[in-house]
């Protein structure tokens, strides 16, 4: 027998058992990063306002607290796994603005973009927005309780059956 034919079923079983891990790790990592970043910016708003002004961002007195608040609130939502898909969207916008303003001078090629931590955040946020927060989240708990009350399978379209996702 080929070693691959022996190992493959074991790897498939392991994948099924660990399916919860990627969305959970992505969500927790992003949530923690943005929660702390937003918290720090909210507690140093005068410096953030000055930085935004130096970048030429319009109305820095409004934009700095807004962006800081978005990072803090959406980071907390991601960390809890509550409204995760929705919380990811404004964070993507914040990261796009960060690349377009604070990192614009460093962006000479596509390779440069791929090296930015902000781009990695965008990729992970897109993953959370598309795949959802995973089963270890308040979103999953709420979905499960609503499904139990209504007798339906809420979110089944968002979580295809394992046989479909080979």
């Amino acid at each position: 027998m080929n070693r691959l034919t022996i190992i493959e079923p074991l790897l498939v079983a392991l994948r099924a058992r660990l399916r919860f891990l990627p969305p959970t790790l992505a969500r927790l990592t992003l949530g923690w990063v943005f929660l702390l970043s937003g918290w720090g910016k909210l507690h140093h708003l005068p410096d953030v306002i000055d930085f935004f002004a130096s970048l030429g961002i319009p109305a820095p007195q409004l934009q700095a607290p807004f962006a800081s608040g978005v990072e803090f609130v959406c980071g907390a939502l991601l960390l809890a796994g509550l409204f995760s898909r929705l919380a990811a969207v404004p964070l993507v916008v914040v990261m796009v603005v960060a690349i377009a303003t604070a990192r614009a001078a460093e962006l000479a090629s596509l390779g440069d973009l791929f090296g930015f931590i902000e781009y990695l955040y965008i990729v992970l946020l897109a993953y959370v927005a598309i795949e959802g927060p995973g089963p270890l989240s308040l979103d999953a708990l709420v979905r499960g309780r609503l499904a139990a009350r209504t007798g339906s399978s809420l979110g089944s379209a968002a979580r295809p059956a394992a046989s479909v996702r080979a």
Side-chain angles (χ1 to χ4, degrees), residues 104-127:
E106 303 167 51
L107 186 58
S109 70
L110 194 57
D112 293 336
L113 177 66
F114 292 160
F116 291 167
I117 190 73
E118 295 86 353
Y119 180 75
L120 176 60
Y121 293 153
I122 291 170
V123 170
L124 287 173
L125 288 163
Y127 174 75

Side-chain angles (χ1 to χ4, degrees), residues 14-127:
L14 181 63
R15 184 190 78 164
R17 286 193 179 125
L18 296 178
R19 180 165 272 163
F20 74 95
L21 202 52
T24 302
L25 290 176
R27 180 180 55 76
L28 291 175
T29 301
L30 289 165
W32 187 252
V33 166
F34 282 110
L35 179 75
L36 289 182
S37 176
W39 179 262
K41 289 174 183 169
L42 287 170
H43 284 85
H44 297 95
L45 269 178
D47 295 334
V48 178
I49 291 169
D50 291 343
F51 180 64
F52 276 34
S54 75
L55 295 173
I57 294 175
Q61 303 84 351
L62 297 174
Q63 298 284 359
F66 178 73
S68 303
V70 164
E71 286 187 17
F72 181 73
V73 171
C74 291
L77 289 171
L78 282 175
L79 199 55
L82 184 62
F83 306 118
S84 302
R85 287 183 163 117
L86 182 63
V89 174
L91 291 172
V92 168
V93 173
V94 169
M95 290 299 97
V96 168
V97 171
I99 291 171
T101 56
R103 304 296 301 270
E106 303 167 51
L107 186 58
S109 70
L110 194 57
D112 293 336
L113 177 66
F114 292 160
F116 291 167
I117 190 73
E118 295 86 353
Y119 180 75
L120 176 60
Y121 293 153
I122 291 170
V123 170
L124 287 173
L125 288 163
Y127 174 75

